[in-house]
Structures are given as structure tokens and as C-alpha cells.
Amino acid sequence: MPKAADAHREIERKFLVTGAGWREAAEEREICQGYLTLDKERTVRVRLAGGKGTLTIKGLSQGAARSEFEYSIPPEDARLLLHELCLQPVIEKTRYLVPRGELVWEVDVFRGENEGLIVAEVELSSETQDIALPEWIGEEVTGDPRYYNARLVAEPFTKWGRE
């Protein structure tokens, strides 16, 4: 089977956040997202952010890369899907966009069932791209499925280690 075209390939690395230095130059937006399916081979996400709705289909992660297809949907459709069809709990978070050199880091501060979790992601042009890690970056969790947003629906951060 041929590989997905580069336009539909997401390459990102994910890290835990250990400091607060990122807050100085951050632009923020509220995000609510839910999942229609948590199949191991693919996820289907509904997101409402900044008054805009999106439907995103992501394939199985292979290292730091995976296929991704994203489509705009009416915000009202996104609201209805989030509350009527998506698995619960939905993911609630504030995303902070933090420019560093030529890259933009996305720092997600989770609320609700995932309160206390803060992760940073950075999208790359290749899996071998060198990046300078900001001082507020901690452990890399790119390949750790516990930190996938879709997994946080089924196993919220506030429940880790308590069951």
C-alpha cells in the first residue's frame, strides 16, 4: 500500500512540560474535542476551537508520524457531535501557541477529567529534524500511548494510579 502524501502526514513530537517559561509569549485558545471512535488503527476526532468546527481522521502512529485528514464542519454540527455522539468525557484544554525560532510549540493545559496534565507538541517537517528543546520541556512521551488525547478519554489522567 502506498504511503500517504506529505500533505496528509503529521510528524510531531510530544513532551511533558516541567516549567512555566512558555507562558510569557503564548497565544491561547480554548479547545473541546471528542472522539467518535478509539479504534487502535484509526481515530475520528471532532473539535471545536475558536468558534470553528473540524473533523479529523488519524491513522496508526508509526514513530512520530501518522496519516491525518482534517475537514472543516459547521460549529453547530461540532457541538452536537461532541454532546450526542462522542465518547465521554470529552477533552477540555487550553492550547497555548509558543513560537521558538522557526517552530511553534503547542502547550496543552488539560482541564476536567485530565486536570493536572500539561504537554507540549511540536510539528516537524521530518522525523529526523533537529530541534532545540526549550528549558521548560521535560520527558519525551512521543511514543507513549497514555498521552494520546484519544486515550485520555478512556483513561483520564486524574484516574492514573488510582485503580
Side-chain angles (χ1 to χ4, degrees):
M1 181 171 198
K3 291 193 178 225
D6 286 344
H8 296 290
R9 196 93 175 137
E10 173 187 62
I11 302 169
E12 71 180 10
R13 290 175 62 189
K14 185 179 288 197
F15 301 84
L16 296 179
V17 174
T18 58
W22 53 271
R23 290 185 182 271
E24 299 165 1
E27 172 190 326
E28 71 179 79
R29 65 180 170 161
E30 299 302 315
I31 296 175
C32 183
Q33 67 188 44
Y35 293 85
L36 296 170
T37 178
L38 298 179
D39 185 290
K40 186 177 180 180
E41 301 288 320
R42 69 204 52 80
T43 59
V44 180
R45 180 186 74 203
V46 176
R47 178 181 278 173
L48 189 60
K52 296 181 181 178
T54 56
L55 181 69
T56 305
I57 302 149
K58 294 187 179 194
L60 182 65
S61 292
Q62 299 171 349
R66 63 181 163 182
S67 297
E68 178 181 76
F69 300 86
E70 188 165 270
Y71 307 96
S72 294
I73 61 173
E76 188 55 35
D77 288 0
R79 278 186 204 86
L80 287 170
L81 288 166
L82 285 165
H83 297 291
E84 294 182 12
L85 295 179
C86 286
L87 300 165
Q88 299 296 317
V90 295
I91 301 289
E92 302 170 84
K93 61 187 176 181
T94 303
R95 172 164 287 169
Y96 297 86
L97 303 177
V98 186
R100 290 284 183 184
E102 295 182 15
L103 299 173
V104 176
W105 290 80
E106 297 175 342
V107 177
D108 288 342
V109 178
F110 290 82
R111 296 186 311 278
E113 293 289 317
N114 291 291
E115 183 81 31
L117 179 61
I118 304 175
V119 298
E121 299 176 349
V122 63
E123 289 204 23
L124 305 173
S125 56
S126 78
E127 289 186 69
T128 58
Q129 181 177 346
D130 285 330
I131 58 173
L133 299 179
E135 68 284 354
W136 38 266
I137 288 295
E139 175 186 356
E140 183 165 8
V141 294
T142 299
D144 189 336
R146 294 178 302 163
Y147 294 95
Y148 296 170
N149 281 271
R151 181 80 165 268
L152 292 170
V153 171
E155 297 175 35
F157 183 70
T158 57
K159 308 282 192 249
W160 291 10
R162 295 184 188 161
E163 296 175 5

PDB file of all heavy atoms in Angstrom, residues 41-77:
ATOM      1  N   GLU A  41      -6.333   1.277  15.092  1.00  0.00           N
ATOM      2  CA  GLU A  41      -5.794   1.586  13.766  1.00  0.00           C
ATOM      3  C   GLU A  41      -6.118   3.007  13.292  1.00  0.00           C
ATOM      4  O   GLU A  41      -5.475   3.512  12.378  1.00  0.00           O
ATOM      5  CB  GLU A  41      -6.344   0.585  12.738  1.00  0.00           C
ATOM      6  CG  GLU A  41      -6.003  -0.856  13.049  1.00  0.00           C
ATOM      7  CD  GLU A  41      -4.544  -1.179  12.814  1.00  0.00           C
ATOM      8  OE1 GLU A  41      -3.982  -0.698  11.811  1.00  0.00           O
ATOM      9  OE2 GLU A  41      -3.970  -1.901  13.654  1.00  0.00           O
ATOM     10  N   ARG A  42      -7.146   3.643  13.909  1.00  0.00           N
ATOM     11  CA  ARG A  42      -7.570   4.964  13.460  1.00  0.00           C
ATOM     12  C   ARG A  42      -8.399   5.647  14.540  1.00  0.00           C
ATOM     13  O   ARG A  42      -9.039   4.972  15.333  1.00  0.00           O
ATOM     14  CB  ARG A  42      -8.391   4.870  12.177  1.00  0.00           C
ATOM     15  CG  ARG A  42      -9.743   4.235  12.362  1.00  0.00           C
ATOM     16  CD  ARG A  42     -10.352   3.610  11.144  1.00  0.00           C
ATOM     17  NE  ARG A  42      -9.549   2.680  10.413  1.00  0.00           N
ATOM     18  CZ  ARG A  42      -9.365   1.392  10.754  1.00  0.00           C
ATOM     19  NH1 ARG A  42      -9.932   0.908  11.837  1.00  0.00           N
ATOM     20  NH2 ARG A  42      -8.629   0.601  10.021  1.00  0.00           N
ATOM     21  N   THR A  43      -8.366   6.971  14.545  1.00  0.00           N
ATOM     22  CA  THR A  43      -9.260   7.729  15.418  1.00  0.00           C
ATOM     23  C   THR A  43     -10.019   8.742  14.567  1.00  0.00           C
ATOM     24  O   THR A  43      -9.522   9.191  13.531  1.00  0.00           O
ATOM     25  CB  THR A  43      -8.504   8.487  16.538  1.00  0.00           C
ATOM     26  OG1 THR A  43      -7.561   9.381  15.952  1.00  0.00           O
ATOM     27  CG2 THR A  43      -7.802   7.535  17.477  1.00  0.00           C
ATOM     28  N   VAL A  44     -11.211   9.066  15.016  1.00  0.00           N
ATOM     29  CA  VAL A  44     -12.025  10.095  14.364  1.00  0.00           C
ATOM     30  C   VAL A  44     -12.359  11.115  15.442  1.00  0.00           C
ATOM     31  O   VAL A  44     -13.066  10.812  16.392  1.00  0.00           O
ATOM     32  CB  VAL A  44     -13.303   9.504  13.737  1.00  0.00           C
ATOM     33  CG1 VAL A  44     -14.105  10.622  13.063  1.00  0.00           C
ATOM     34  CG2 VAL A  44     -12.958   8.408  12.741  1.00  0.00           C
ATOM     35  N   ARG A  45     -11.804  12.314  15.275  1.00  0.00           N
ATOM     36  CA  ARG A  45     -11.926  13.360  16.286  1.00  0.00           C
ATOM     37  C   ARG A  45     -12.822  14.488  15.803  1.00  0.00           C
ATOM     38  O   ARG A  45     -12.764  14.892  14.647  1.00  0.00           O
ATOM     39  CB  ARG A  45     -10.536  13.928  16.582  1.00  0.00           C
ATOM     40  CG  ARG A  45     -10.549  15.042  17.625  1.00  0.00           C
ATOM     41  CD  ARG A  45      -9.191  15.665  17.793  1.00  0.00           C
ATOM     42  NE  ARG A  45      -8.891  16.522  16.658  1.00  0.00           N
ATOM     43  CZ  ARG A  45      -7.658  16.858  16.288  1.00  0.00           C
ATOM     44  NH1 ARG A  45      -6.604  16.400  16.933  1.00  0.00           N
ATOM     45  NH2 ARG A  45      -7.469  17.647  15.259  1.00  0.00           N
ATOM     46  N   VAL A  46     -13.606  15.023  16.722  1.00  0.00           N
ATOM     47  CA  VAL A  46     -14.411  16.223  16.494  1.00  0.00           C
ATOM     48  C   VAL A  46     -13.832  17.288  17.403  1.00  0.00           C
ATOM     49  O   VAL A  46     -13.591  17.036  18.591  1.00  0.00           O
ATOM     50  CB  VAL A  46     -15.893  15.976  16.854  1.00  0.00           C
ATOM     51  CG1 VAL A  46     -16.686  17.269  16.712  1.00  0.00           C
ATOM     52  CG2 VAL A  46     -16.476  14.859  16.007  1.00  0.00           C
ATOM     53  N   ARG A  47     -13.603  18.484  16.855  1.00  0.00           N
ATOM     54  CA  ARG A  47     -13.022  19.551  17.673  1.00  0.00           C
ATOM     55  C   ARG A  47     -13.782  20.850  17.446  1.00  0.00           C
ATOM     56  O   ARG A  47     -14.172  21.173  16.335  1.00  0.00           O
ATOM     57  CB  ARG A  47     -11.550  19.749  17.307  1.00  0.00           C
ATOM     58  CG  ARG A  47     -10.891  20.879  18.090  1.00  0.00           C
ATOM     59  CD  ARG A  47      -9.456  21.079  17.712  1.00  0.00           C
ATOM     60  NE  ARG A  47      -8.609  20.115  18.414  1.00  0.00           N
ATOM     61  CZ  ARG A  47      -7.320  19.964  18.191  1.00  0.00           C
ATOM     62  NH1 ARG A  47      -6.707  20.691  17.273  1.00  0.00           N
ATOM     63  NH2 ARG A  47      -6.616  19.097  18.881  1.00  0.00           N
ATOM     64  N   LEU A  48     -13.944  21.588  18.541  1.00  0.00           N
ATOM     65  CA  LEU A  48     -14.488  22.936  18.499  1.00  0.00           C
ATOM     66  C   LEU A  48     -13.444  23.839  19.145  1.00  0.00           C
ATOM     67  O   LEU A  48     -13.095  23.656  20.313  1.00  0.00           O
ATOM     68  CB  LEU A  48     -15.817  22.993  19.270  1.00  0.00           C
ATOM     69  CG  LEU A  48     -16.616  24.279  19.153  1.00  0.00           C
ATOM     70  CD1 LEU A  48     -16.997  24.564  17.695  1.00  0.00           C
ATOM     71  CD2 LEU A  48     -17.873  24.187  20.004  1.00  0.00           C
ATOM     72  N   ALA A  49     -12.910  24.765  18.358  1.00  0.00           N
ATOM     73  CA  ALA A  49     -11.858  25.669  18.850  1.00  0.00           C
ATOM     74  C   ALA A  49     -11.994  27.016  18.142  1.00  0.00           C
ATOM     75  O   ALA A  49     -12.091  27.053  16.910  1.00  0.00           O
ATOM     76  CB  ALA A  49     -10.477  25.082  18.590  1.00  0.00           C
ATOM     77  N   GLY A  50     -12.011  28.068  18.923  1.00  0.00           N
ATOM     78  CA  GLY A  50     -12.108  29.394  18.330  1.00  0.00           C
ATOM     79  C   GLY A  50     -13.360  29.580  17.489  1.00  0.00           C
ATOM     80  O   GLY A  50     -13.321  30.283  16.482  1.00  0.00           O
ATOM     81  N   GLY A  51     -14.450  28.915  17.878  1.00  0.00           N
ATOM     82  CA  GLY A  51     -15.694  29.047  17.138  1.00  0.00           C
ATOM     83  C   GLY A  51     -15.741  28.260  15.841  1.00  0.00           C
ATOM     84  O   GLY A  51     -16.699  28.364  15.086  1.00  0.00           O
ATOM     85  N   LYS A  52     -14.715  27.462  15.565  1.00  0.00           N
ATOM     86  CA  LYS A  52     -14.661  26.672  14.333  1.00  0.00           C
ATOM     87  C   LYS A  52     -14.706  25.187  14.657  1.00  0.00           C
ATOM     88  O   LYS A  52     -14.107  24.728  15.623  1.00  0.00           O
ATOM     89  CB  LYS A  52     -13.378  26.990  13.555  1.00  0.00           C
ATOM     90  CG  LYS A  52     -13.323  28.420  13.085  1.00  0.00           C
ATOM     91  CD  LYS A  52     -12.062  28.704  12.307  1.00  0.00           C
ATOM     92  CE  LYS A  52     -12.060  30.173  11.884  1.00  0.00           C
ATOM     93  NZ  LYS A  52     -10.853  30.527  11.174  1.00  0.00           N
ATOM     94  N   GLY A  53     -15.410  24.438  13.817  1.00  0.00           N
ATOM     95  CA  GLY A  53     -15.503  23.000  13.986  1.00  0.00           C
ATOM     96  C   GLY A  53     -14.636  22.264  12.983  1.00  0.00           C
ATOM     97  O   GLY A  53     -14.500  22.709  11.842  1.00  0.00           O
ATOM     98  N   THR A  54     -14.041  21.152  13.411  1.00  0.00           N
ATOM     99  CA  THR A  54     -13.272  20.305  12.498  1.00  0.00           C
ATOM    100  C   THR A  54     -13.552  18.838  12.796  1.00  0.00           C
ATOM    101  O   THR A  54     -13.863  18.459  13.934  1.00  0.00           O
ATOM    102  CB  THR A  54     -11.743  20.532  12.603  1.00  0.00           C
ATOM    103  OG1 THR A  54     -11.335  20.343  13.950  1.00  0.00           O
ATOM    104  CG2 THR A  54     -11.333  21.911  12.133  1.00  0.00           C
ATOM    105  N   LEU A  55     -13.430  18.042  11.757  1.00  0.00           N
ATOM    106  CA  LEU A  55     -13.493  16.596  11.850  1.00  0.00           C
ATOM    107  C   LEU A  55     -12.147  16.095  11.352  1.00  0.00           C
ATOM    108  O   LEU A  55     -11.723  16.452  10.246  1.00  0.00           O
ATOM    109  CB  LEU A  55     -14.628  16.052  10.980  1.00  0.00           C
ATOM    110  CG  LEU A  55     -14.831  14.553  11.004  1.00  0.00           C
ATOM    111  CD1 LEU A  55     -15.366  14.110  12.368  1.00  0.00           C
ATOM    112  CD2 LEU A  55     -15.784  14.129   9.902  1.00  0.00           C
ATOM    113  N   THR A  56     -11.457  15.299  12.168  1.00  0.00           N
ATOM    114  CA  THR A  56     -10.117  14.839  11.825  1.00  0.00           C
ATOM    115  C   THR A  56     -10.047  13.327  11.934  1.00  0.00           C
ATOM    116  O   THR A  56     -10.498  12.754  12.923  1.00  0.00           O
ATOM    117  CB  THR A  56      -9.069  15.464  12.784  1.00  0.00           C
ATOM    118  OG1 THR A  56      -9.221  16.885  12.754  1.00  0.00           O
ATOM    119  CG2 THR A  56      -7.662  15.097  12.372  1.00  0.00           C
ATOM    120  N   ILE A  57      -9.469  12.710  10.927  1.00  0.00           N
ATOM    121  CA  ILE A  57      -9.259  11.267  10.903  1.00  0.00           C
ATOM    122  C   ILE A  57      -7.754  11.046  10.935  1.00  0.00           C
ATOM    123  O   ILE A  57      -7.024  11.596  10.098  1.00  0.00           O
ATOM    124  CB  ILE A  57      -9.879  10.640   9.642  1.00  0.00           C
ATOM    125  CG1 ILE A  57     -11.373  10.967   9.594  1.00  0.00           C
ATOM    126  CG2 ILE A  57      -9.632   9.131   9.613  1.00  0.00           C
ATOM    127  CD1 ILE A  57     -11.927  11.092   8.219  1.00  0.00           C
ATOM    128  N   LYS A  58      -7.291  10.265  11.924  1.00  0.00           N
ATOM    129  CA  LYS A  58      -5.866   9.995  12.060  1.00  0.00           C
ATOM    130  C   LYS A  58      -5.625   8.498  12.011  1.00  0.00           C
ATOM    131  O   LYS A  58      -6.377   7.720  12.586  1.00  0.00           O
ATOM    132  CB  LYS A  58      -5.323  10.553  13.378  1.00  0.00           C
ATOM    133  CG  LYS A  58      -5.360  12.075  13.448  1.00  0.00           C
ATOM    134  CD  LYS A  58      -4.665  12.583  14.679  1.00  0.00           C
ATOM    135  CE  LYS A  58      -4.683  14.099  14.724  1.00  0.00           C
ATOM    136  NZ  LYS A  58      -3.758  14.634  15.721  1.00  0.00           N
ATOM    137  N   GLY A  59      -4.547   8.127  11.339  1.00  0.00           N
ATOM    138  CA  GLY A  59      -4.167   6.727  11.238  1.00  0.00           C
ATOM    139  C   GLY A  59      -3.283   6.301  12.390  1.00  0.00           C
ATOM    140  O   GLY A  59      -3.005   7.068  13.313  1.00  0.00           O
ATOM    141  N   LEU A  60      -2.825   5.079  12.320  1.00  0.00           N
ATOM    142  CA  LEU A  60      -1.955   4.487  13.328  1.00  0.00           C
ATOM    143  C   LEU A  60      -0.613   5.208  13.349  1.00  0.00           C
ATOM    144  O   LEU A  60      -0.016   5.453  12.304  1.00  0.00           O
ATOM    145  CB  LEU A  60      -1.751   2.998  13.004  1.00  0.00           C
ATOM    146  CG  LEU A  60      -0.903   2.187  13.972  1.00  0.00           C
ATOM    147  CD1 LEU A  60      -1.585   2.097  15.334  1.00  0.00           C
ATOM    148  CD2 LEU A  60      -0.677   0.793  13.412  1.00  0.00           C
ATOM    149  N   SER A  61      -0.130   5.541  14.540  1.00  0.00           N
ATOM    150  CA  SER A  61       1.179   6.182  14.674  1.00  0.00           C
ATOM    151  C   SER A  61       2.278   5.195  14.339  1.00  0.00           C
ATOM    152  O   SER A  61       2.254   4.044  14.754  1.00  0.00           O
ATOM    153  CB  SER A  61       1.385   6.695  16.105  1.00  0.00           C
ATOM    154  OG  SER A  61       0.506   7.749  16.373  1.00  0.00           O
ATOM    155  N   GLN A  62       3.246   5.681  13.576  1.00  0.00           N
ATOM    156  CA  GLN A  62       4.443   4.918  13.256  1.00  0.00           C
ATOM    157  C   GLN A  62       5.615   5.802  13.630  1.00  0.00           C
ATOM    158  O   GLN A  62       6.008   6.673  12.864  1.00  0.00           O
ATOM    159  CB  GLN A  62       4.464   4.539  11.778  1.00  0.00           C
ATOM    160  CG  GLN A  62       3.287   3.664  11.402  1.00  0.00           C
ATOM    161  CD  GLN A  62       3.163   3.467   9.910  1.00  0.00           C
ATOM    162  OE1 GLN A  62       3.810   4.123   9.114  1.00  0.00           O
ATOM    163  NE2 GLN A  62       2.308   2.539   9.530  1.00  0.00           N
ATOM    164  N   GLY A  63       6.133   5.622  14.845  1.00  0.00           N
ATOM    165  CA  GLY A  63       7.132   6.541  15.365  1.00  0.00           C
ATOM    166  C   GLY A  63       6.466   7.856  15.679  1.00  0.00           C
ATOM    167  O   GLY A  63       5.456   7.912  16.380  1.00  0.00           O
ATOM    168  N   ALA A  64       6.985   8.932  15.102  1.00  0.00           N
ATOM    169  CA  ALA A  64       6.423  10.258  15.332  1.00  0.00           C
ATOM    170  C   ALA A  64       5.478  10.681  14.211  1.00  0.00           C
ATOM    171  O   ALA A  64       5.009  11.809  14.193  1.00  0.00           O
ATOM    172  CB  ALA A  64       7.556  11.282  15.462  1.00  0.00           C
ATOM    173  N   ALA A  65       5.184   9.780  13.267  1.00  0.00           N
ATOM    174  CA  ALA A  65       4.377  10.136  12.094  1.00  0.00           C
ATOM    175  C   ALA A  65       3.109   9.297  12.012  1.00  0.00           C
ATOM    176  O   ALA A  65       3.039   8.180  12.519  1.00  0.00           O
ATOM    177  CB  ALA A  65       5.200   9.946  10.825  1.00  0.00           C
ATOM    178  N   ARG A  66       2.112   9.871  11.347  1.00  0.00           N
ATOM    179  CA  ARG A  66       0.874   9.158  11.050  1.00  0.00           C
ATOM    180  C   ARG A  66       0.092   9.931   9.999  1.00  0.00           C
ATOM    181  O   ARG A  66       0.317  11.128   9.789  1.00  0.00           O
ATOM    182  CB  ARG A  66       0.031   8.966  12.300  1.00  0.00           C
ATOM    183  CG  ARG A  66      -0.445  10.243  12.939  1.00  0.00           C
ATOM    184  CD  ARG A  66      -1.234   9.927  14.172  1.00  0.00           C
ATOM    185  NE  ARG A  66      -1.352  11.104  15.010  1.00  0.00           N
ATOM    186  CZ  ARG A  66      -1.961  11.106  16.164  1.00  0.00           C
ATOM    187  NH1 ARG A  66      -2.493  10.008  16.622  1.00  0.00           N
ATOM    188  NH2 ARG A  66      -2.041  12.204  16.874  1.00  0.00           N
ATOM    189  N   SER A  67      -0.832   9.247   9.352  1.00  0.00           N
ATOM    190  CA  SER A  67      -1.701   9.899   8.369  1.00  0.00           C
ATOM    191  C   SER A  67      -2.713  10.764   9.106  1.00  0.00           C
ATOM    192  O   SER A  67      -3.180  10.408  10.185  1.00  0.00           O
ATOM    193  CB  SER A  67      -2.464   8.854   7.550  1.00  0.00           C
ATOM    194  OG  SER A  67      -1.567   8.069   6.824  1.00  0.00           O
ATOM    195  N   GLU A  68      -3.047  11.907   8.499  1.00  0.00           N
ATOM    196  CA  GLU A  68      -4.030  12.805   9.103  1.00  0.00           C
ATOM    197  C   GLU A  68      -4.818  13.507   8.010  1.00  0.00           C
ATOM    198  O   GLU A  68      -4.242  14.036   7.064  1.00  0.00           O
ATOM    199  CB  GLU A  68      -3.333  13.854   9.972  1.00  0.00           C
ATOM    200  CG  GLU A  68      -4.299  14.845  10.579  1.00  0.00           C
ATOM    201  CD  GLU A  68      -3.604  15.905  11.412  1.00  0.00           C
ATOM    202  OE1 GLU A  68      -3.011  16.829  10.820  1.00  0.00           O
ATOM    203  OE2 GLU A  68      -3.647  15.791  12.649  1.00  0.00           O
ATOM    204  N   PHE A  69      -6.149  13.488   8.149  1.00  0.00           N
ATOM    205  CA  PHE A  69      -7.043  14.167   7.226  1.00  0.00           C
ATOM    206  C   PHE A  69      -7.974  15.029   8.057  1.00  0.00           C
ATOM    207  O   PHE A  69      -8.640  14.527   8.959  1.00  0.00           O
ATOM    208  CB  PHE A  69      -7.855  13.143   6.415  1.00  0.00           C
ATOM    209  CG  PHE A  69      -6.981  12.220   5.607  1.00  0.00           C
ATOM    210  CD1 PHE A  69      -6.458  11.068   6.181  1.00  0.00           C
ATOM    211  CD2 PHE A  69      -6.671  12.524   4.289  1.00  0.00           C
ATOM    212  CE1 PHE A  69      -5.633  10.227   5.453  1.00  0.00           C
ATOM    213  CE2 PHE A  69      -5.857  11.684   3.548  1.00  0.00           C
ATOM    214  CZ  PHE A  69      -5.333  10.527   4.125  1.00  0.00           C
ATOM    215  N   GLU A  70      -8.018  16.342   7.750  1.00  0.00           N
ATOM    216  CA  GLU A  70      -8.817  17.259   8.566  1.00  0.00           C
ATOM    217  C   GLU A  70      -9.758  18.060   7.677  1.00  0.00           C
ATOM    218  O   GLU A  70      -9.349  18.543   6.617  1.00  0.00           O
ATOM    219  CB  GLU A  70      -7.899  18.198   9.344  1.00  0.00           C
ATOM    220  CG  GLU A  70      -8.640  19.050  10.352  1.00  0.00           C
ATOM    221  CD  GLU A  70      -7.696  19.683  11.346  1.00  0.00           C
ATOM    222  OE1 GLU A  70      -7.432  19.053  12.387  1.00  0.00           O
ATOM    223  OE2 GLU A  70      -7.230  20.800  11.055  1.00  0.00           O
ATOM    224  N   TYR A  71     -11.015  18.200   8.138  1.00  0.00           N
ATOM    225  CA  TYR A  71     -12.048  18.867   7.369  1.00  0.00           C
ATOM    226  C   TYR A  71     -12.822  19.833   8.259  1.00  0.00           C
ATOM    227  O   TYR A  71     -13.148  19.509   9.398  1.00  0.00           O
ATOM    228  CB  TYR A  71     -13.023  17.831   6.788  1.00  0.00           C
ATOM    229  CG  TYR A  71     -12.307  16.758   6.008  1.00  0.00           C
ATOM    230  CD1 TYR A  71     -11.966  15.546   6.607  1.00  0.00           C
ATOM    231  CD2 TYR A  71     -11.925  16.977   4.686  1.00  0.00           C
ATOM    232  CE1 TYR A  71     -11.281  14.572   5.897  1.00  0.00           C
ATOM    233  CE2 TYR A  71     -11.241  16.005   3.970  1.00  0.00           C
ATOM    234  CZ  TYR A  71     -10.914  14.798   4.582  1.00  0.00           C
ATOM    235  OH  TYR A  71     -10.230  13.841   3.892  1.00  0.00           O
ATOM    236  N   SER A  72     -13.145  20.990   7.718  1.00  0.00           N
ATOM    237  CA  SER A  72     -13.981  21.952   8.435  1.00  0.00           C
ATOM    238  C   SER A  72     -15.421  21.454   8.439  1.00  0.00           C
ATOM    239  O   SER A  72     -15.893  20.911   7.441  1.00  0.00           O
ATOM    240  CB  SER A  72     -13.940  23.316   7.747  1.00  0.00           C
ATOM    241  OG  SER A  72     -12.656  23.867   7.845  1.00  0.00           O
ATOM    242  N   ILE A  73     -16.087  21.636   9.580  1.00  0.00           N
ATOM    243  CA  ILE A  73     -17.510  21.335   9.686  1.00  0.00           C
ATOM    244  C   ILE A  73     -18.169  22.520  10.396  1.00  0.00           C
ATOM    245  O   ILE A  73     -17.502  23.274  11.110  1.00  0.00           O
ATOM    246  CB  ILE A  73     -17.790  20.010  10.446  1.00  0.00           C
ATOM    247  CG1 ILE A  73     -17.272  20.063  11.890  1.00  0.00           C
ATOM    248  CG2 ILE A  73     -17.205  18.826   9.682  1.00  0.00           C
ATOM    249  CD1 ILE A  73     -17.675  18.843  12.733  1.00  0.00           C
ATOM    250  N   PRO A  74     -19.470  22.702  10.214  1.00  0.00           N
ATOM    251  CA  PRO A  74     -20.141  23.814  10.897  1.00  0.00           C
ATOM    252  C   PRO A  74     -19.996  23.680  12.422  1.00  0.00           C
ATOM    253  O   PRO A  74     -20.094  22.576  12.961  1.00  0.00           O
ATOM    254  CB  PRO A  74     -21.609  23.662  10.471  1.00  0.00           C
ATOM    255  CG  PRO A  74     -21.552  22.911   9.172  1.00  0.00           C
ATOM    256  CD  PRO A  74     -20.381  21.979   9.319  1.00  0.00           C
ATOM    257  N   PRO A  75     -19.768  24.791  13.112  1.00  0.00           N
ATOM    258  CA  PRO A  75     -19.606  24.746  14.577  1.00  0.00           C
ATOM    259  C   PRO A  75     -20.782  24.088  15.296  1.00  0.00           C
ATOM    260  O   PRO A  75     -20.586  23.353  16.260  1.00  0.00           O
ATOM    261  CB  PRO A  75     -19.472  26.220  14.979  1.00  0.00           C
ATOM    262  CG  PRO A  75     -19.097  26.940  13.748  1.00  0.00           C
ATOM    263  CD  PRO A  75     -19.618  26.146  12.593  1.00  0.00           C
ATOM    264  N   GLU A  76     -21.988  24.316  14.824  1.00  0.00           N
ATOM    265  CA  GLU A  76     -23.153  23.702  15.473  1.00  0.00           C
ATOM    266  C   GLU A  76     -23.122  22.184  15.325  1.00  0.00           C
ATOM    267  O   GLU A  76     -23.488  21.454  16.246  1.00  0.00           O
ATOM    268  CB  GLU A  76     -24.464  24.278  14.926  1.00  0.00           C
ATOM    269  CG  GLU A  76     -25.676  23.829  15.686  1.00  0.00           C
ATOM    270  CD  GLU A  76     -25.613  24.100  17.195  1.00  0.00           C
ATOM    271  OE1 GLU A  76     -25.039  25.133  17.623  1.00  0.00           O
ATOM    272  OE2 GLU A  76     -26.135  23.272  17.969  1.00  0.00           O
ATOM    273  N   ASP A  77     -22.668  21.694  14.167  1.00  0.00           N
ATOM    274  CA  ASP A  77     -22.512  20.247  13.982  1.00  0.00           C
ATOM    275  C   ASP A  77     -21.483  19.707  14.972  1.00  0.00           C
ATOM    276  O   ASP A  77     -21.685  18.650  15.580  1.00  0.00           O
ATOM    277  CB  ASP A  77     -22.077  19.910  12.555  1.00  0.00           C
ATOM    278  CG  ASP A  77     -23.189  20.107  11.537  1.00  0.00           C
ATOM    279  OD1 ASP A  77     -24.309  20.509  11.921  1.00  0.00           O
ATOM    280  OD2 ASP A  77     -22.920  19.855  10.339  1.00  0.00           O
TER     281      ASP A  77
END
